[in-house]
Amino acid sequence: MFSPSSLLQRLLVTILMFSAAGCALHSPTATELATENNFIRHVYTAPTFDIVAYTRFAPSDDLTVYIEGDGRAWLTRTRPSSDPTPVPPLALALAVKDPTPNVVYLARPCQYTAGTSGFRTCTTRDWTSARMSPDVINDMNNTLTQIKTESGARRLHLVGYSGGGGVAILLAAQRKDVASIRTVAGNLNISLWTRLHHVSPLSESLPPENYTLAVRDIPQTHYVGAEDTNIPVEIAKSFIKKSSGAHIAVNVISGCSHSKGWEEKWPYLLRAYHQNAP
């Protein structure tokens, strides 16, 4: 039998344990993460969408742009989300670890704008079948030009996470100022990806795999998680097989899945990348 005081003590200990666990599991919001690392939130108006970016500008000819993944596009395999904002925002978590002076995090259309007037043109198709549609890519390209002008940079270095990897390819294919491309768990072949997962084709999207020749002269590094079952290494290998570029590599990273492990590995991958950069 426990005395009333003993039971009270045990109850207090249990409450403290759960409180501590809650603090440990707290994932910072995009705004918290950005503010803690001196990034400033902006909303850019493009022809179709309002697009959110977090910027940390500094004088430099080079601007590194991290492009977010598809976010919370689906609640289940058959039920799309009503808000594609990523939780947590992995591309932002990578961006804040980048020591280069001029860095931007670029969200995808309809992310971070739910509940605002910027969500007015958004429909479910914009983060499902049309997630890489001409309208999406054109608006992101428009926004990228605005950001580049504000930063004063001359060269862009694109880093795309997951679906943002495919977006990076499509943006680079339209521009003459992209000096390098890196992807992290990047969806570089949406046709193969939908076949592997037995899901409907992204019928309203531009296929990045059709633009290999357009970006062949841009140095590229594609990082793939050794434990990634969502976007396995076959996706990146199929992309580079269609390219005859001289400076393109696939690096398989142990200890990483699609969303786990990258945040911890990224500082080391950055150091290795810059040490070996041409």
Side-chain angles (χ1 to χ4, degrees):
M1 296 289 292
F2 295 118
S3 67
S5 60
S6 175
L7 285 171
L8 180 59
Q9 287 176 344
R10 287 174 176 267
L11 179 61
L12 288 172
V13 168
T14 301
I15 291 171
L16 287 172
M17 287 175 63
F18 277 101
S19 297
C23 292
L25 293 173
H26 172 69
S27 180
T29 65
T31 298
E32 290 171 340
L33 187 58
T35 301
E36 290 168 4
N37 291 278
N38 301 313
F39 281 69
I40 299 171
R41 187 180 192 270
H42 301 268
V43 180
Y44 292 92
T45 300
T48 304
F49 302 101
D50 285 355
I51 297 180
V52 172
Y54 289 91
T55 66
R56 189 185 68 205
F57 291 146
S60 175
D61 286 338
D62 295 279
L63 175 66
T64 303
V65 181
Y66 285 75
I67 303 169
E68 187 55 84
D70 298 333
R72 198 168 183 237
W74 294 87
L75 296 178
T76 68
R77 189 177 175 86
T78 58
R79 181 185 173 197
S81 167
S82 61
D83 177 3
T85 299
V87 181
L90 183 55
L92 179 58
L94 301 183
V96 300
K97 293 182 180 295
D98 196 316
T100 56
N102 214 11
V103 181
V104 167
Y105 164 78
L106 184 60
R108 305 273 288 280
C110 308
Q111 294 178 349
Y112 306 106
T113 60
T116 73
S117 60
F119 203 67
R120 66 193 179 282
T121 59
C122 293
T123 63
T124 303
R125 58 182 288 276
D126 296 318
W127 55 87
T128 54
S129 62
R131 66 186 72 177
M132 297 183 198
S133 70
D135 282 347
V136 165
I137 299 304
N138 289 339
D139 272 26
M140 294 196 72
N141 195 40
N142 178 291
T143 302
L144 194 54
T145 297
Q146 294 183 58
I147 290 171
K148 181 191 172 192
T149 300
E150 288 181 14
S151 74
R154 294 192 301 115
R155 295 178 294 269
L156 299 175
H157 302 270
L158 304 183
V159 183
Y161 166 65
S162 191
V167 171
I169 298 298
L170 295 169
L171 290 173
Q174 295 189 22
R175 305 182 67 94
K176 302 296 184 183
D177 53 3
V178 175
S180 70
I181 302 169
R182 281 167 283 170
T183 67
V184 177
N187 193 350
L188 304 174
N189 188 332
I190 61 175
S191 301
L192 177 58
W193 180 74
T194 55
R195 291 199 303 272
L196 286 174
H197 290 286
H198 306 288
V199 295
S200 300
L202 305 184
S203 55
E204 299 177 87
S205 292
L206 298 170
E209 62 270 22
N210 289 356
Y211 293 82
T212 55
L213 296 182
V215 299
R216 59 177 289 186
D217 295 327
I218 302 173
Q220 301 169 48
T221 303
H222 303 293
Y223 299 103
V224 180
E227 301 167 17
D228 192 344
T229 57
N230 183 1
I231 300 182
V233 69
E234 290 90 337
I235 299 289
K237 286 183 175 179
S238 70
F239 182 84
I240 67 169
K241 186 177 181 180
K242 297 181 68 174
S243 173
S244 55
H247 303 288
I248 181 168
V250 173
N251 290 352
V252 179
I253 309 302
S254 63
C256 291
S257 64
H258 189 64
S259 59
K260 304 295 184 184
W262 294 109
E263 202 173 338
E264 295 76 19
K265 300 266 187 177
W266 196 237
Y268 305 100
L269 295 174
L270 283 174
R271 281 199 292 273
Y273 176 82
H274 289 297
Q275 286 170 1
N276 297 318

